[in-house]
Amino acid sequence: MEMIAPAPKRIAVVLGGGGLKGFAHVGVLRALQERGMRPAVYAGTSIGALVAAACVRGVSPDEMARRALALRRRDLFRLNHMGIMMGRLRSPSIYMEEPLRALVDSVCPAGTFADLPTPVYVNTVDVERGSQVVWGCPGLRNVPVADAVYASCALPGFFPPGRVDGRLCIDGGTIDNLPVNIAALGMDALIAVDVGNADLTHATDVHTEGFSAVFMRAASLMMRALQLPPLEQWQGPPMILIRPRVGHIGWFSFSHTEELIAEGYRAACEALEGYETFFDAPGGVYPRRRMRVLVDRARCTGCGACVALAPRLMALDGAQKAFTLTNIVEWSPADGDFVRHCPTGALTVQKVA
C-alpha cells in the first residue's frame, strides 16, 4: 500500500511592534529560512507589519539587514517644524509623515493585499471608531498594502495617522501589539515574536530624559499589560513564542542594529530547538522550561500581590508570608509575569535542570 505523506503544517508568523527593536525580526526570519520554513500567513504590528510585508515582497533577510544597517535617524525622523509652529498643540505629530512613507514604499509590495502571493495581516486601530482593523483579512483586502503598513507604524503623537480606505488609522499596538488571535485562524501552528515588551528592565531617571522617554515607557507598560492575558490564556494551536532580550535597547536607537539582528537570530535558534515536537502538540505556548519560584521570607511583607496575580501557584501562610503551592512548574515564555510585580523583590525564579 502506498504511503501518503502528511500535509505540511500551515504555520503563521506573527511579528510584534517595538520601534527599531524590530530589527531583531530580521534575525528571526534568517533562522526560519535556514530551517526551510515557508509560512502560510504573516501578521504584524508596526515595524512587525513592515518586516512582514517586505518578506512577502521577496526581500531576503540579508537584504533587510543591509537596509537596516544603512538606516540613519534623518531617514526616518524629521521634526514637523511647520506643523508645530502653526498648530502648536493642535499639530498631529512631532515628526513629518514623508520620511516614514518613503521607507514603507521602498520595501512594501506594490498593489493591494488581494495581489499578494502569501497573505499578510496588518494590524491597525481606527482612531475615530476606536476599533481594531486588521487589513488583509477577508473584506479588507482591496486596499494598498503600503497605506495599511504606514498606518500600523504611525505611533500616536510621533507620526500623523494614515488614511486607509477612508478610515483614519494609527499604530495597531495601541490595542494589540502581537496579533496572534487573528493570525491563528485556520493555522496548524504559530511562531510569534515579541520584541516590544518582552523583558522590561528596571529604568531609572526616566523622567529626566524628556517627554518621549516617559511616553514610550508608559506605552511599553500598557502594551505589555494588554498582551499578556491572551498569551497566558492561549487556547489556539501550538505557538512558539520568541522573546529576544532587547529590553535594554531604546525603541528609537540606531546604534544597536547589528546587536538586535544577532539577538533575534540567537533567540529564534534557542526557541526553535525541537520545534517539530511543539507543532505536534495539541496546543499551548512553547518552549516550556522547568522552573522553581523562590520566596525571600525576610523581604516578603504579605501584601498578597503574588496571590492575587497567580492564585493557582501562590498563597499566604499563617505568618502572612508568601509560599508556592507547587514546587516545580513548567512555564512557557508567557508565564511568570507576576514575579516582577512583587513590590519588595521577594520573588525570584530558578531554572531546574
Side-chain angles (χ1 to χ4, degrees):
M1 180 182 296
E2 183 180 354
M3 298 294 293
I4 300 176
K9 298 284 187 181
R10 287 178 54 81
I11 301 169
V13 170
V14 186
L15 306 178
L20 298 185
K21 294 183 185 184
F23 289 151
H25 291 318
V26 177
V28 174
L29 292 176
R30 182 175 285 161
L32 298 182
Q33 183 184 66
E34 288 178 354
R35 286 156 180 77
M37 292 190 185
R38 296 183 177 275
V41 165
Y42 289 88
T45 295
S46 195
I47 192 169
L50 180 69
V51 173
C55 193
V56 171
R57 182 182 178 178
V59 182
S60 70
D62 287 345
E63 174 62 13
M64 290 187 200
R66 187 191 66 77
R67 287 173 176 257
L69 288 165
L71 193 67
R72 297 293 179 264
R73 181 171 296 275
R74 64 180 178 274
D75 299 326
L76 189 57
F77 298 114
R78 295 181 201 164
L79 283 172
N80 185 13
H81 292 290
M82 186 62 69
I84 295 171
M85 182 177 67
M86 299 298 291
R88 298 184 184 275
L89 291 179
R90 295 180 64 86
S91 175
S93 65
I94 298 173
Y95 298 108
M96 297 175 63
E97 175 179 332
E98 288 75 15
L100 178 56
R101 277 278 183 187
L103 174 63
V104 169
D105 290 342
S106 71
V107 298
C108 281
T112 70
F113 288 90
D115 302 321
L116 299 179
T118 302
V120 175
Y121 299 148
V122 173
N123 186 37
T124 68
V125 170
D126 183 325
V127 71
E128 295 174 327
R129 294 174 174 84
S131 60
Q132 183 177 14
V133 184
V134 183
W135 303 98
C137 291
L140 298 170
R141 292 174 179 162
N142 292 315
V143 299
V145 177
D147 283 356
V149 171
Y150 169 82
S152 188
C153 293
L155 185 66
F158 285 74
F159 295 100
R163 286 278 178 191
V164 189
D165 196 28
R167 293 174 179 259
L168 192 66
C169 295
I170 60 173
D171 190 335
T174 309
I175 288 180
D176 186 358
N177 202 44
L178 194 66
V180 290
N181 286 303
I182 192 70
L185 297 176
M187 294 294 111
D188 298 311
L190 280 84
I191 297 172
V193 189
D194 174 17
V195 296
N197 318 294
D199 58 338
L200 286 175
T201 56
H202 182 69
T204 58
D205 299 326
V206 174
H207 66 289
T208 67
E209 298 177 18
F211 157 80
S212 176
V214 175
F215 178 88
M216 291 314 304
R217 181 66 176 180
S220 295
L221 295 171
M222 176 192 70
M223 290 177 185
R224 183 184 179 91
L226 289 171
Q227 182 175 293
L228 280 173
L231 296 177
E232 292 174 336
Q233 302 160 22
W234 182 248
Q235 298 295 316
M239 177 199 307
I240 297 177
L241 180 57
I242 301 173
R243 283 184 153 170
R245 297 172 190 150
V246 295
H248 61 290
I249 298 174
W251 280 57
F252 305 125
S253 172
F254 286 80
S255 58
H256 294 83
T257 302
E258 196 165 358
E259 177 186 351
L260 285 164
I261 295 172
E263 173 55 19
Y265 179 79
R266 184 210 63 79
C269 290
E270 180 180 351
L272 290 168
E273 186 175 348
Y275 70 89
E276 298 92 346
T277 303
F278 305 152
F279 286 170
D280 289 333
V285 181
Y286 299 89
R288 307 188 73 82
R289 302 285 186 261
R290 287 163 53 85
M291 311 295 287
R292 179 184 289 116
V293 178
L294 305 176
V295 181
D296 185 335
R297 292 178 63 83
R299 288 189 173 188
C300 178
T301 63
C303 71
C306 60
V307 180
L309 294 171
R312 295 182 180 178
L313 178 62
M314 305 301 298
L316 296 177
D317 62 18
Q320 290 298 293
K321 298 289 186 179
F323 72 97
T324 58
L325 296 171
T326 304
N327 185 34
I328 297 175
V329 292
E330 281 201 355
W331 274 352
S332 78
D335 296 314
D337 187 65
F338 71 91
V339 171
R340 59 182 296 274
H341 287 285
C342 177
T344 61
L347 304 180
T348 55
V349 178
Q350 180 183 77
K351 188 174 180 180
V352 179

mmCIF file with all atom_site columns, all heavy atoms in Angstrom, residues 7-23:
data_model
loop_
_atom_site.group_PDB
_atom_site.id
_atom_site.type_symbol
_atom_site.label_atom_id
_atom_site.label_alt_id
_atom_site.label_comp_id
_atom_site.label_asym_id
_atom_site.label_entity_id
_atom_site.label_seq_id
_atom_site.pdbx_PDB_ins_code
_atom_site.Cartn_x
_atom_site.Cartn_y
_atom_site.Cartn_z
_atom_site.occupancy
_atom_site.B_iso_or_equiv
_atom_site.pdbx_formal_charge
_atom_site.auth_seq_id
_atom_site.auth_comp_id
_atom_site.auth_asym_id
_atom_site.auth_atom_id
_atom_site.pdbx_PDB_model_num
ATOM 1   N N   . ALA A 1 7  ? 0.108  16.160 5.081  1.00 0.00 ? 7  ALA A N   1
ATOM 2   C CA  . ALA A 1 7  ? 0.117  17.516 4.535  1.00 0.00 ? 7  ALA A CA  1
ATOM 3   C C   . ALA A 1 7  ? 1.023  18.401 5.376  1.00 0.00 ? 7  ALA A C   1
ATOM 4   O O   . ALA A 1 7  ? 1.099  18.237 6.598  1.00 0.00 ? 7  ALA A O   1
ATOM 5   C CB  . ALA A 1 7  ? -1.298 18.084 4.524  1.00 0.00 ? 7  ALA A CB  1
ATOM 6   N N   . PRO A 1 8  ? 1.752  19.319 4.759  1.00 0.00 ? 8  PRO A N   1
ATOM 7   C CA  . PRO A 1 8  ? 2.625  20.197 5.537  1.00 0.00 ? 8  PRO A CA  1
ATOM 8   C C   . PRO A 1 8  ? 1.822  21.078 6.481  1.00 0.00 ? 8  PRO A C   1
ATOM 9   O O   . PRO A 1 8  ? 0.669  21.423 6.209  1.00 0.00 ? 8  PRO A O   1
ATOM 10  C CB  . PRO A 1 8  ? 3.326  21.040 4.457  1.00 0.00 ? 8  PRO A CB  1
ATOM 11  C CG  . PRO A 1 8  ? 2.430  20.963 3.262  1.00 0.00 ? 8  PRO A CG  1
ATOM 12  C CD  . PRO A 1 8  ? 1.778  19.618 3.324  1.00 0.00 ? 8  PRO A CD  1
ATOM 13  N N   . LYS A 1 9  ? 2.437  21.419 7.594  1.00 0.00 ? 9  LYS A N   1
ATOM 14  C CA  . LYS A 1 9  ? 1.784  22.267 8.581  1.00 0.00 ? 9  LYS A CA  1
ATOM 15  C C   . LYS A 1 9  ? 1.582  23.674 8.019  1.00 0.00 ? 9  LYS A C   1
ATOM 16  O O   . LYS A 1 9  ? 2.459  24.226 7.357  1.00 0.00 ? 9  LYS A O   1
ATOM 17  C CB  . LYS A 1 9  ? 2.638  22.350 9.845  1.00 0.00 ? 9  LYS A CB  1
ATOM 18  C CG  . LYS A 1 9  ? 2.877  21.028 10.562 1.00 0.00 ? 9  LYS A CG  1
ATOM 19  C CD  . LYS A 1 9  ? 1.660  20.585 11.344 1.00 0.00 ? 9  LYS A CD  1
ATOM 20  C CE  . LYS A 1 9  ? 1.974  19.359 12.198 1.00 0.00 ? 9  LYS A CE  1
ATOM 21  N NZ  . LYS A 1 9  ? 0.793  18.887 12.946 1.00 0.00 ? 9  LYS A NZ  1
ATOM 22  N N   . ARG A 1 10 ? 0.410  24.228 8.290  1.00 0.00 ? 10 ARG A N   1
ATOM 23  C CA  . ARG A 1 10 ? 0.144  25.623 7.942  1.00 0.00 ? 10 ARG A CA  1
ATOM 24  C C   . ARG A 1 10 ? 0.577  26.479 9.132  1.00 0.00 ? 10 ARG A C   1
ATOM 25  O O   . ARG A 1 10 ? -0.044 26.432 10.198 1.00 0.00 ? 10 ARG A O   1
ATOM 26  C CB  . ARG A 1 10 ? -1.338 25.832 7.623  1.00 0.00 ? 10 ARG A CB  1
ATOM 27  C CG  . ARG A 1 10 ? -1.736 25.236 6.281  1.00 0.00 ? 10 ARG A CG  1
ATOM 28  C CD  . ARG A 1 10 ? -3.230 25.427 6.005  1.00 0.00 ? 10 ARG A CD  1
ATOM 29  N NE  . ARG A 1 10 ? -3.632 26.824 6.126  1.00 0.00 ? 10 ARG A NE  1
ATOM 30  C CZ  . ARG A 1 10 ? -3.474 27.744 5.175  1.00 0.00 ? 10 ARG A CZ  1
ATOM 31  N NH1 . ARG A 1 10 ? -2.887 27.409 4.023  1.00 0.00 ? 10 ARG A NH1 1
ATOM 32  N NH2 . ARG A 1 10 ? -3.891 28.979 5.351  1.00 0.00 ? 10 ARG A NH2 1
ATOM 33  N N   . ILE A 1 11 ? 1.649  27.235 8.920  1.00 0.00 ? 11 ILE A N   1
ATOM 34  C CA  . ILE A 1 11 ? 2.257  28.000 10.010 1.00 0.00 ? 11 ILE A CA  1
ATOM 35  C C   . ILE A 1 11 ? 2.090  29.493 9.751  1.00 0.00 ? 11 ILE A C   1
ATOM 36  O O   . ILE A 1 11 ? 2.336  29.978 8.644  1.00 0.00 ? 11 ILE A O   1
ATOM 37  C CB  . ILE A 1 11 ? 3.767  27.669 10.123 1.00 0.00 ? 11 ILE A CB  1
ATOM 38  C CG1 . ILE A 1 11 ? 3.964  26.169 10.382 1.00 0.00 ? 11 ILE A CG1 1
ATOM 39  C CG2 . ILE A 1 11 ? 4.415  28.495 11.231 1.00 0.00 ? 11 ILE A CG2 1
ATOM 40  C CD1 . ILE A 1 11 ? 5.396  25.723 10.235 1.00 0.00 ? 11 ILE A CD1 1
ATOM 41  N N   . ALA A 1 12 ? 1.662  30.212 10.773 1.00 0.00 ? 12 ALA A N   1
ATOM 42  C CA  . ALA A 1 12 ? 1.582  31.667 10.712 1.00 0.00 ? 12 ALA A CA  1
ATOM 43  C C   . ALA A 1 12 ? 2.753  32.255 11.491 1.00 0.00 ? 12 ALA A C   1
ATOM 44  O O   . ALA A 1 12 ? 3.096  31.769 12.573 1.00 0.00 ? 12 ALA A O   1
ATOM 45  C CB  . ALA A 1 12 ? 0.269  32.166 11.308 1.00 0.00 ? 12 ALA A CB  1
ATOM 46  N N   . VAL A 1 13 ? 3.355  33.293 10.943 1.00 0.00 ? 13 VAL A N   1
ATOM 47  C CA  . VAL A 1 13 ? 4.425  34.018 11.629 1.00 0.00 ? 13 VAL A CA  1
ATOM 48  C C   . VAL A 1 13 ? 3.886  35.395 12.009 1.00 0.00 ? 13 VAL A C   1
ATOM 49  O O   . VAL A 1 13 ? 3.404  36.136 11.149 1.00 0.00 ? 13 VAL A O   1
ATOM 50  C CB  . VAL A 1 13 ? 5.676  34.152 10.733 1.00 0.00 ? 13 VAL A CB  1
ATOM 51  C CG1 . VAL A 1 13 ? 6.682  35.126 11.361 1.00 0.00 ? 13 VAL A CG1 1
ATOM 52  C CG2 . VAL A 1 13 ? 6.323  32.786 10.540 1.00 0.00 ? 13 VAL A CG2 1
ATOM 53  N N   . VAL A 1 14 ? 3.947  35.716 13.298 1.00 0.00 ? 14 VAL A N   1
ATOM 54  C CA  . VAL A 1 14 ? 3.405  36.968 13.825 1.00 0.00 ? 14 VAL A CA  1
ATOM 55  C C   . VAL A 1 14 ? 4.551  37.794 14.394 1.00 0.00 ? 14 VAL A C   1
ATOM 56  O O   . VAL A 1 14 ? 5.263  37.333 15.295 1.00 0.00 ? 14 VAL A O   1
ATOM 57  C CB  . VAL A 1 14 ? 2.357  36.699 14.912 1.00 0.00 ? 14 VAL A CB  1
ATOM 58  C CG1 . VAL A 1 14 ? 1.690  38.007 15.346 1.00 0.00 ? 14 VAL A CG1 1
ATOM 59  C CG2 . VAL A 1 14 ? 1.310  35.697 14.428 1.00 0.00 ? 14 VAL A CG2 1
ATOM 60  N N   . LEU A 1 15 ? 4.712  39.007 13.869 1.00 0.00 ? 15 LEU A N   1
ATOM 61  C CA  . LEU A 1 15 ? 5.820  39.873 14.264 1.00 0.00 ? 15 LEU A CA  1
ATOM 62  C C   . LEU A 1 15 ? 5.284  41.090 14.998 1.00 0.00 ? 15 LEU A C   1
ATOM 63  O O   . LEU A 1 15 ? 4.502  41.868 14.451 1.00 0.00 ? 15 LEU A O   1
ATOM 64  C CB  . LEU A 1 15 ? 6.619  40.300 13.026 1.00 0.00 ? 15 LEU A CB  1
ATOM 65  C CG  . LEU A 1 15 ? 7.120  39.165 12.127 1.00 0.00 ? 15 LEU A CG  1
ATOM 66  C CD1 . LEU A 1 15 ? 7.851  39.739 10.908 1.00 0.00 ? 15 LEU A CD1 1
ATOM 67  C CD2 . LEU A 1 15 ? 8.016  38.206 12.899 1.00 0.00 ? 15 LEU A CD2 1
ATOM 68  N N   . GLY A 1 16 ? 5.690  41.271 16.240 1.00 0.00 ? 16 GLY A N   1
ATOM 69  C CA  . GLY A 1 16 ? 5.169  42.348 17.065 1.00 0.00 ? 16 GLY A CA  1
ATOM 70  C C   . GLY A 1 16 ? 5.852  43.679 16.820 1.00 0.00 ? 16 GLY A C   1
ATOM 71  O O   . GLY A 1 16 ? 6.897  43.768 16.175 1.00 0.00 ? 16 GLY A O   1
ATOM 72  N N   . GLY A 1 17 ? 5.234  44.739 17.353 1.00 0.00 ? 17 GLY A N   1
ATOM 73  C CA  . GLY A 1 17 ? 5.806  46.074 17.260 1.00 0.00 ? 17 GLY A CA  1
ATOM 74  C C   . GLY A 1 17 ? 6.847  46.310 18.335 1.00 0.00 ? 17 GLY A C   1
ATOM 75  O O   . GLY A 1 17 ? 6.921  45.583 19.325 1.00 0.00 ? 17 GLY A O   1
ATOM 76  N N   . GLY A 1 18 ? 7.639  47.353 18.140 1.00 0.00 ? 18 GLY A N   1
ATOM 77  C CA  . GLY A 1 18 ? 8.674  47.652 19.133 1.00 0.00 ? 18 GLY A CA  1
ATOM 78  C C   . GLY A 1 18 ? 9.665  48.687 18.643 1.00 0.00 ? 18 GLY A C   1
ATOM 79  O O   . GLY A 1 18 ? 10.811 48.696 19.082 1.00 0.00 ? 18 GLY A O   1
ATOM 80  N N   . GLY A 1 19 ? 9.238  49.551 17.715 1.00 0.00 ? 19 GLY A N   1
ATOM 81  C CA  . GLY A 1 19 ? 10.170 50.541 17.192 1.00 0.00 ? 19 GLY A CA  1
ATOM 82  C C   . GLY A 1 19 ? 11.327 49.855 16.490 1.00 0.00 ? 19 GLY A C   1
ATOM 83  O O   . GLY A 1 19 ? 11.173 48.798 15.870 1.00 0.00 ? 19 GLY A O   1
ATOM 84  N N   . LEU A 1 20 ? 12.512 50.431 16.616 1.00 0.00 ? 20 LEU A N   1
ATOM 85  C CA  . LEU A 1 20 ? 13.677 49.862 15.932 1.00 0.00 ? 20 LEU A CA  1
ATOM 86  C C   . LEU A 1 20 ? 14.159 48.566 16.572 1.00 0.00 ? 20 LEU A C   1
ATOM 87  O O   . LEU A 1 20 ? 15.010 47.878 16.005 1.00 0.00 ? 20 LEU A O   1
ATOM 88  C CB  . LEU A 1 20 ? 14.804 50.898 15.895 1.00 0.00 ? 20 LEU A CB  1
ATOM 89  C CG  . LEU A 1 20 ? 14.471 52.183 15.129 1.00 0.00 ? 20 LEU A CG  1
ATOM 90  C CD1 . LEU A 1 20 ? 15.692 53.095 15.053 1.00 0.00 ? 20 LEU A CD1 1
ATOM 91  C CD2 . LEU A 1 20 ? 13.956 51.877 13.728 1.00 0.00 ? 20 LEU A CD2 1
ATOM 92  N N   . LYS A 1 21 ? 13.592 48.197 17.727 1.00 0.00 ? 21 LYS A N   1
ATOM 93  C CA  . LYS A 1 21 ? 13.882 46.876 18.268 1.00 0.00 ? 21 LYS A CA  1
ATOM 94  C C   . LYS A 1 21 ? 13.435 45.789 17.296 1.00 0.00 ? 21 LYS A C   1
ATOM 95  O O   . LYS A 1 21 ? 13.901 44.658 17.354 1.00 0.00 ? 21 LYS A O   1
ATOM 96  C CB  . LYS A 1 21 ? 13.156 46.679 19.593 1.00 0.00 ? 21 LYS A CB  1
ATOM 97  C CG  . LYS A 1 21 ? 13.610 47.570 20.734 1.00 0.00 ? 21 LYS A CG  1
ATOM 98  C CD  . LYS A 1 21 ? 12.848 47.223 21.996 1.00 0.00 ? 21 LYS A CD  1
ATOM 99  C CE  . LYS A 1 21 ? 13.168 48.166 23.133 1.00 0.00 ? 21 LYS A CE  1
ATOM 100 N NZ  . LYS A 1 21 ? 12.484 47.766 24.383 1.00 0.00 ? 21 LYS A NZ  1
ATOM 101 N N   . GLY A 1 22 ? 12.505 46.165 16.411 1.00 0.00 ? 22 GLY A N   1
ATOM 102 C CA  . GLY A 1 22 ? 12.005 45.225 15.419 1.00 0.00 ? 22 GLY A CA  1
ATOM 103 C C   . GLY A 1 22 ? 13.043 44.736 14.438 1.00 0.00 ? 22 GLY A C   1
ATOM 104 O O   . GLY A 1 22 ? 12.783 43.790 13.683 1.00 0.00 ? 22 GLY A O   1
ATOM 105 N N   . PHE A 1 23 ? 14.225 45.338 14.441 1.00 0.00 ? 23 PHE A N   1
ATOM 106 C CA  . PHE A 1 23 ? 15.305 44.794 13.614 1.00 0.00 ? 23 PHE A CA  1
ATOM 107 C C   . PHE A 1 23 ? 15.642 43.364 14.044 1.00 0.00 ? 23 PHE A C   1
ATOM 108 O O   . PHE A 1 23 ? 16.206 42.597 13.265 1.00 0.00 ? 23 PHE A O   1
ATOM 109 C CB  . PHE A 1 23 ? 16.553 45.672 13.703 1.00 0.00 ? 23 PHE A CB  1
ATOM 110 C CG  . PHE A 1 23 ? 16.411 46.996 13.000 1.00 0.00 ? 23 PHE A CG  1
ATOM 111 C CD1 . PHE A 1 23 ? 17.114 48.116 13.441 1.00 0.00 ? 23 PHE A CD1 1
ATOM 112 C CD2 . PHE A 1 23 ? 15.580 47.140 11.906 1.00 0.00 ? 23 PHE A CD2 1
ATOM 113 C CE1 . PHE A 1 23 ? 16.997 49.344 12.797 1.00 0.00 ? 23 PHE A CE1 1
ATOM 114 C CE2 . PHE A 1 23 ? 15.454 48.358 11.252 1.00 0.00 ? 23 PHE A CE2 1
ATOM 115 C CZ  . PHE A 1 23 ? 16.161 49.464 11.703 1.00 0.00 ? 23 PHE A CZ  1
#
